[in-house]
Amino acid sequence: MAAIGAGHAWPSIAFWGEGQRVMVLAKADPPGVMGPVRFLQDALSFVPEQSFETAVDTLLKAVDGMLAGEDRDHFRSLIDALNEERKDANVSAWRRLEAINGFDPDEAPESLISTLLRLSERFGNADVEEAAAAHPGVESVNIINRLIEGSASDKRFAEVDFTDAVRSVSSILPRAGREPWRMAESAASRLRQTLDVGKGPLLNGRLAELAQTVRNVLKTRQQADDVAPYGVRLASEVGQRVLLRAHWGHDRRFELMRALGDAIWSEISPLGPLSQAGTERQKFQRAFAASMLCPLSALKNYLGEAEPNADPSDEDIAAAARRFHVSERVVRSVLVNKRMMDRTRIDIPANLAPAGTPFQDIADAA
């Protein structure tokens, strides 16, 4: 991608994977750029992974037909090597872990990838890849091991059992091709119907009952000195154990619902990271937690917003946060994502839009 524009008009474009989808992001040239061509439109699209791979294969075949001589021989050797790696499940798994941890092929420490592959035998590829994406780099495996080893004795872990809750929404578990937030909202709506709680706030007692845990885990707690870089849901002998890192009660409620969302997404897999990564799984968790604790219809009714473009005041947002026992950030996120509030009133994730370059499609996706 870095060399493709040499001598040709080419937009500022990037690709990155999100499990079953590939995100394609193009940015417009800033005003004042001089040249024969200026790209005017920002764009953000999601493409099914299989469609993306098919398109890349088609491109490679087209390039092969345009080359001749030594260039063609060298190109074909690269394509042959690529295809051999794609056929070998072990090599493919190695390459995926390299990429997730931010390394080019054959650049990652062998001990790092080997240890992650051994963890995959215990927890499964999807769970370990998600954990690596939560904190990529040379320390990723050490963090995973530390969380696993501490789960049995660390008092910050809460004993829960999501089995009954997951069973009640089993018919709408994640399906390929659907946006994570749509699946999350459907799962939350179904679960609320099962609980027969209407659309109002969920109090701690009901949340504890849903998670089959004690209410005390949702109370505000003193911040621990050794804070892990992300939370986690781990299988235990009697159910699951969840590391709730948050200090304030309303944030702990949100984390607990994220953990339940992860159990729904993964059908209670043994290892479920709760991170700030931009993967589909993490997006599902966050959207599920927001929909469970602060449903849009109930929020609109409380705010009394008759017009979809109305802009609630900061005081309204604070009152709604108290009403639904969530942080103001959750309320703002719901309002922005549903276009009930201007996007400038909530931060755009730094990994999607660098400071000074906000634009419509990225803000909507965030």
Side-chain angles (χ1 to χ4, degrees):
M1 292 301 297
I4 199 168
H8 302 276
W10 190 258
S12 176
I13 193 168
F15 301 94
W16 65 90
E18 285 197 349
Q20 296 175 332
R21 303 187 303 171
V22 175
M23 181 181 287
V24 185
L25 170 66
K27 289 182 62 179
D29 292 331
V33 171
M34 302 299 293
V37 175
R38 177 184 164 208
F39 292 94
L40 302 176
Q41 186 171 353
D42 298 309
L44 179 63
S45 299
F46 294 91
V47 181
E49 61 171 344
Q50 188 58 54
S51 298
F52 181 81
E53 289 192 13
T54 299
V56 172
D57 287 335
T58 300
L59 171 64
L60 295 178
K61 290 179 181 178
V63 172
D64 179 71
M66 296 169 61
L67 299 176
E70 293 183 0
D71 287 341
R72 186 174 189 178
D73 293 339
H74 178 62
F75 183 78
R76 284 186 172 178
S77 68
L78 294 175
I79 301 306
D80 289 342
L82 172 63
N83 289 333
E84 286 301 316
E85 289 187 358
R86 292 167 72 182
K87 294 176 183 177
D88 191 317
N90 293 328
V91 175
S92 294
W94 187 286
R95 291 291 188 237
R96 284 181 60 83
L97 287 171
E98 283 180 324
I100 289 171
N101 280 281
F103 294 99
D104 289 331
D106 297 324
E107 295 296 325
E110 183 175 347
S111 60
L112 169 67
I113 306 301
S114 297
T115 306
L116 288 172
L117 287 173
R118 286 195 294 272
L119 285 172
S120 296
E121 295 175 359
R122 175 182 174 186
F123 294 103
N125 291 334
D127 285 1
V128 172
E129 289 177 2
E130 193 72 22
H135 195 279
V138 294
E139 285 297 313
S140 63
V141 72
N142 294 331
I143 294 170
I144 298 171
N145 283 328
R146 190 163 69 244
L147 289 169
I148 294 170
E149 293 166 2
S151 65
S153 57
D154 193 329
K155 294 182 179 179
R156 292 176 297 167
F157 279 83
E159 289 281 358
V160 302
D161 189 351
F162 295 136
T163 306
D164 291 343
V166 171
R167 186 181 297 118
S168 68
V169 294
S170 59
S171 63
I172 49 176
L173 289 173
R175 291 188 287 271
R178 292 190 65 195
E179 296 91 339
W181 64 269
R182 290 188 186 276
M183 294 186 288
E185 289 182 350
S186 296
S189 177
R190 173 69 63 83
L191 190 52
R192 274 182 160 267
Q193 291 175 7
T194 301
L195 294 174
D196 193 24
V197 294
K199 298 180 180 180
L202 283 173
L203 301 182
N204 283 356
R206 204 60 189 270
L207 287 184
E209 179 184 345
L210 174 63
Q212 296 189 33
T213 188
V214 295
R215 291 180 58 178
N216 188 51
V217 304
L218 298 172
K219 292 183 178 180
T220 296
R221 295 192 174 187
Q222 184 177 357
Q223 187 69 49
D225 294 331
D226 178 24
V227 180
Y230 56 89
V232 70
R233 175 191 55 79
L234 284 162
S236 68
E237 294 181 357
V238 295
Q240 298 96 50
R241 290 178 61 82
V242 177
L243 173 60
L244 302 179
R245 300 184 305 144
H247 169 57
W248 299 107
H250 52 66
D251 290 329
R252 294 176 68 80
R253 287 162 49 87
F254 194 81
E255 277 192 311
L256 183 64
M257 288 300 96
R258 281 192 62 178
L260 173 55
D262 186 76
I264 293 172
W265 173 276
S266 64
E267 301 184 62
I268 318 183
S269 67
L271 171 63
L274 316 175
S275 75
Q276 296 305 310
T279 64
E280 288 190 328
R281 185 166 170 174
Q282 301 302 315
K283 290 179 179 180
F284 179 90
Q285 291 176 16
R286 294 190 284 265
F288 174 82
S291 297
M292 277 296 294
L293 298 176
C294 189
L296 175 63
S297 57
L299 178 60
K300 289 172 66 175
N301 289 338
Y302 179 76
L303 293 174
E305 299 291 355
E307 298 295 332
N309 295 321
D311 209 5
S313 68
D314 291 339
E315 291 77 10
D316 291 336
I317 292 171
R322 291 191 296 270
R323 166 71 173 171
F324 293 97
H325 308 285
V326 296
S327 69
E328 291 185 26
R329 175 79 179 185
V330 171
V331 176
R332 291 176 183 272
S333 296
V334 172
L335 294 173
V336 167
N337 289 338
K338 297 303 181 181
R339 301 178 185 269
M340 291 181 60
M341 189 171 74
D342 190 273
R343 73 185 64 86
T344 60
R345 296 178 62 188
I346 188 171
D347 294 333
I348 298 172
N351 65 319
L352 289 183
T357 58
F359 55 87
Q360 172 74 38
D361 291 325
I362 283 186
D364 288 345

